[in-house]
Amino acid sequence: MPFDAYNDVPDEALLALFANGDRVAAKVLTLRMTPRVFRQAYRVLSDRAEAEDVVQDAMLRLWKTAPDWRQGEAKVTTWLYQVVANLCTDRLRRRKPNDALDDVSEPEDGAASVETSIQNRSRSAALGAALKQLPERQKTAVTLRHIDEYSNPEIAEIMGVGVEAVESLIARGKRALKGLLANRKEELGYDD
Amino acid sequence: MTTEKDDKMPDLEAYFEAARDAVPDPSDALMARIMADAVAVADGWAEPAEAPARNGFLRGFLDAVGGWPAVSGMVTAGFVGLFVGISPPALVSELTDSILYGTSDAYLVDPGDGFGFAF
């Protein structure tokens, strides 16, 4: 089957294909899953090497579980999210207190102009600070939707609530964020 | 239609985009390691998967008769039987003649007769 033909194949079906020896399916899953879970791990750990270790470990667990995957009972995205979240928590627990890193790490993209880079860092830091002020569930829902780019049904599964509840949490979270960031704009005196 | 209040509200998408851009892309090396893991795991499954090929009729037969040593014994016995059939030793010929045609006298031998080697 040509590589492009896998584009519309659901994640769970790709995992079943891999369990039957289809290595192209594994490649498609790698390209599809890794950026998202890497973002998740990097956001929590703020360390590229540690985030890569966590993601590699999580993907290895996915490969190993492929033959035993019970179709229809879980989604690969939510399963991976939980595994990465647990691995990140373990890493954070093992860190010594002085290993703690700032929530907002240095950007690595040298291509962006200095002005854009500074503005993006400022926005990212402001958003991070505002998110911390939200109730935990609103913060999680907004982060999953708008930064990690999960769909609402996926977020519902991750958080163990209904899709309508997720929509409500995101709406309330964004409303609160707008208020918090508007105040910050006035404090700092910059546009957007 | 936008109001003055809306103009003062921040464009949240710009903030989300900045937060997404703050995270680097996963390295090619990571992608390669993940794929290598997938191949290694799949190779691990392939090894036991070859076992059924060895579990065919021959394997079942060997298990039933006791393995290759038993087969070698059976082959030897088969050749000996074939040889005896084609070129029987004289003793065998006399014996078969006596059974089939009654041309020889049969003897009953009682080795214990006369207490010869009782004590």
Side-chain angles (χ1 to χ4, degrees), chain A residues 23 38 48 52 56 146 192, chain B residues 15 20 24 27 33 43:
Chain A
R23 293 176 188 194
F38 177 74
R48 175 185 271 278
E52 290 199 347
Q56 187 179 358
H146 292 286
D192 279 340
Chain B
Y15 285 84
R20 288 194 295 268
S27 67
R33 289 202 302 274
D43 284 346

Side-chain angles (χ1 to χ4, degrees), chain A residues 18 23 27 30-31 34 38-39 42 48 52 56 63 67 120 123 127 146-147 174 178 181 185 192, chain B residues 8-10 12 15-16 18-20 23-27 30-31 33-35 37-39 41 43 45:
Chain A
F18 170 65
R23 293 176 188 194
K27 187 175 183 182
T30 301
L31 294 172
T34 304
F38 177 74
R39 270 204 301 274
Y42 188 88
R48 175 185 271 278
E52 290 199 347
Q56 187 179 358
W63 303 140
N120 280 346
R123 280 176 176 159
L127 179 64
H146 292 286
I147 300 178
K174 285 172 73 174
K178 279 195 174 187
L181 290 170
K185 267 174 69 177
D192 279 340
Chain B
K8 286 183 180 175
M9 293 306 277
L12 275 187
Y15 285 84
F16 291 138
R20 288 194 295 268
V23 178
D25 291 329
S27 67
L30 172 64
M31 304 298 258
R33 289 202 302 274
I34 291 171
M35 270 310 299
D37 284 344
V39 170
V41 169
D43 284 346
W45 299 329

